[in-house]
Amino acid sequence: MFNEELHLDKPLNWGMVGGGRGSQIGFIHRNSALRSRLFNLVAAAFDIDPERGREFGENWGVAGDRCYPDYKTMFEEEAKRPDGIQAVTIATPNFLHYEICKAALNAGLHVVCEKPLCFTAAEADELVALAKEKNRIVGVTYGYTGAPMIHQAREMIAHGELGEIRVINMQFAHGYHNVAVEEHDEGTKWRVNPKTSGPSYVLGDVGTHALYLAECMIPDLKIDSLMCSRQSFVKSRAPLEDNAIVLLNFSNGAVGNLWASGINTGSTHQQKIRVVGSKASLEWWDEHPNQLIFSPMNAPVQVLDRGQGYLYNDDELVNNNRMGGGHAEGLFEAWVTLYTRFGLAMDKVNHGENAAELMENYWFPNIVDGAKGVHFVENCVESADNGSVWVQYK
């Protein structure tokens, strides 16, 4: 069960960039970090409008003199304080992620960054190298993978219960953007603009979530080649896609497909993964995160429930339940798990451990995982824009 007494001798002084008034993603970051009890929000640059950001920050409880007009001022001023921030969350539109993450690392800060980390594989690799050089932790919010049943699946695959992995079906296909909602919704408008969203819409926005589910469940998974077809069914979104289908060949001989969409009319989320092995298959759906469907050969289909004694409860993440089995846990609990892991990793580095080694051996979605997502999108765009050809994965 979750350790309610878990704490640090002194919580990490933490700041935010973006995520101000009305931001859904800002709210989930704050809720999750503070519920972890490892972070103390002491400074922020919440908004491009300094007065609005200051008002929001003061209403929230941040001191007015630590509500800054921009991230550069925050990093500079906080560095002068003995109680300055040690970590920062980046919850801005995509086009700002690279420059803020780079500036934060150069300021000696640990980082939690929304995905994508940046727009290009070269930028992603640069950030990975910089994080290693500065010995800082960078967490990336692939929030669904904080769910205990994802780690139950990971353990079952590692213990050979599925046999040889043959097929991986991945999808994140919602229907909320099946018409041009961006005409009246600022939160969608920047997502379908190449200047603020980057070279992709749904592949980067939701497709990388589905891919990381597979990478989390099967850590040694490596893509050998892929072929991508992408469409802009709402024509005003071109050249960015609102629907994409990717076929994948993996280095172990397995194959996969990934469907990323914002125009799956009538769907609320439809983020699912099915892993097919030679002995059995399993399936997880984020709208029912407490269950894992296990389908062994020549035996009845089993619905495994979170918090039950038959799971791999010796694994910390499988057993990371905040309430007993049968009670629903959801996305907030998964994000609290991520922020707990982020905070513990940051504290370990602050006490002398090596960040790069820690990110290899202590699970949480980190900068290397975020960089893989950027590489994936870049390879998909290359394939799609050259006539949906197969490309060797780079």
Side-chain angles (χ1 to χ4, degrees):
M1 292 292 288
F2 177 71
N3 179 6
E4 190 178 356
E5 299 171 65
L6 179 67
H7 68 284
L8 302 177
D9 291 338
K10 189 177 186 304
L12 295 156
N13 287 338
W14 172 54
M16 285 193 73
V17 183
R21 179 177 290 145
S23 168
Q24 175 178 270
I25 203 67
F27 174 71
I28 194 170
H29 276 284
R30 284 185 292 277
N31 180 289
S32 305
L34 297 174
R35 282 177 59 193
S36 78
R37 300 180 67 232
L38 306 183
F39 294 85
N40 184 24
L41 184 58
V42 297
F46 280 125
D47 203 301
I48 57 173
D49 181 329
E51 288 305 313
R52 186 170 59 196
R54 181 187 180 99
E55 180 186 17
F56 175 78
E58 288 180 330
N59 288 341
W60 200 91
V62 178
D65 64 344
R66 299 181 80 173
C67 294
Y68 298 99
D70 55 72
Y71 75 88
K72 292 178 181 178
T73 304
M74 179 169 72
F75 294 170
E76 182 180 341
E77 294 301 315
E78 287 293 307
K80 299 174 183 176
R81 301 178 62 108
D83 61 348
I85 59 172
Q86 302 162 283
V88 65
T89 285
I90 303 169
T92 66
N94 298 354
F95 75 102
L96 293 168
H97 293 178
Y98 166 74
E99 67 176 65
I100 301 175
C101 187
K102 183 176 180 179
L105 290 170
N106 280 320
L109 300 172
H110 299 293
V111 180
V112 175
C113 188
E114 273 298 313
K115 52 94 195 114
L117 281 173
C118 49
F119 286 174
T120 70
E123 290 175 341
D125 294 343
E126 179 188 353
L127 291 176
V128 170
L130 184 59
K132 183 175 182 179
E133 175 192 335
K134 299 297 184 180
N135 194 35
R136 296 294 90 180
I137 292 293
V138 179
V140 178
T141 47
Y142 288 123
Y144 303 95
T145 53
M149 297 310 283
I150 296 296
H151 297 274
Q152 170 67 17
R154 179 184 173 111
E155 288 296 308
M156 293 174 72
I157 292 167
H159 282 81
E161 294 192 42
L162 271 65
E164 177 188 38
I165 302 303
R166 294 174 171 175
V167 180
I168 306 166
N169 298 141
M170 298 157 278
Q171 68 176 59
F172 197 153
H174 68 80
Y176 291 113
H177 297 165
N178 71 317
V179 296
V181 296
E182 57 269 26
E183 294 176 0
H184 309 288
D185 180 13
E186 292 297 323
T188 305
K189 183 180 292 185
W190 70 258
R191 285 180 168 83
V192 297
N193 182 342
K195 292 181 180 179
T196 49
S197 184
S200 162
Y201 164 36
V202 291
L203 281 164
D205 194 46
V206 295
T208 53
H209 276 297
L211 179 68
Y212 186 64
L213 288 179
E215 292 175 337
C216 181
M217 290 181 178
I218 315 166
D220 58 354
L221 191 67
K222 290 181 174 57
I223 302 171
D224 181 67
S225 60
L226 63 74
M227 186 272 281
C228 175
S229 173
R230 64 175 183 160
Q231 300 78 37
S232 308
F233 282 106
V234 177
K235 301 304 180 185
S236 59
R237 293 172 181 160
L240 299 189
E241 80 291 339
D242 50 23
N243 189 78
I245 296 172
V246 187
L247 301 180
L248 303 114
N249 291 322
F250 297 103
S251 58
N252 67 345
V255 297
N257 63 280
L258 187 152
W259 177 27
S261 185
I263 53 89
N264 184 17
T265 306
S267 164
T268 53
H269 244 206
Q270 291 290 326
Q271 182 181 198
K272 294 181 177 180
I273 180 168
R274 182 173 177 85
V275 182
V276 180
S278 56
K279 296 180 181 178
S281 303
L282 55 77
E283 184 173 316
W284 182 85
W285 182 7
D286 79 348
E287 294 175 48
H288 301 276
N290 295 275
Q291 285 80 43
L292 184 67
I293 300 172
F294 179 54
S295 305
M297 188 67 182
N298 299 322
V301 172
Q302 302 172 31
V303 180
L304 309 181
D305 276 287
R306 181 195 58 77
Q308 303 302 318
Y310 51 72
L311 303 178
Y312 282 94
N313 286 306
D314 56 339
D315 180 273
E316 177 185 352
L317 289 156
V318 176
N319 195 35
N320 194 35
N321 304 293
R322 288 173 175 78
M323 59 188 76
H327 300 281
E329 287 190 354
L331 189 62
F332 278 98
E333 286 72 27
W335 273 67
V336 176
T337 293
L338 257 62
Y339 260 98
T340 300
R341 304 288 282 195
F342 295 158
L344 291 174
M346 292 170 185
D347 186 64
K348 289 175 186 289
V349 171
N350 289 348
H351 284 85
E353 294 196 32
N354 180 271
E357 293 178 3
L358 192 61
M359 287 190 284
E360 284 185 13
N361 301 306
Y362 182 73
W363 179 86
F364 59 92
N366 62 55
I367 193 168
V368 175
D369 303 311
K372 287 179 182 177
V374 177
H375 279 263
F376 172 72
V377 171
E378 192 167 279
N379 278 268
C380 288
V381 170
E382 178 186 343
S383 169
D385 289 359
N386 286 282
S388 299
V389 297
W390 281 93
V391 297
Q392 285 300 121
Y393 198 74
K394 299 183 283 293

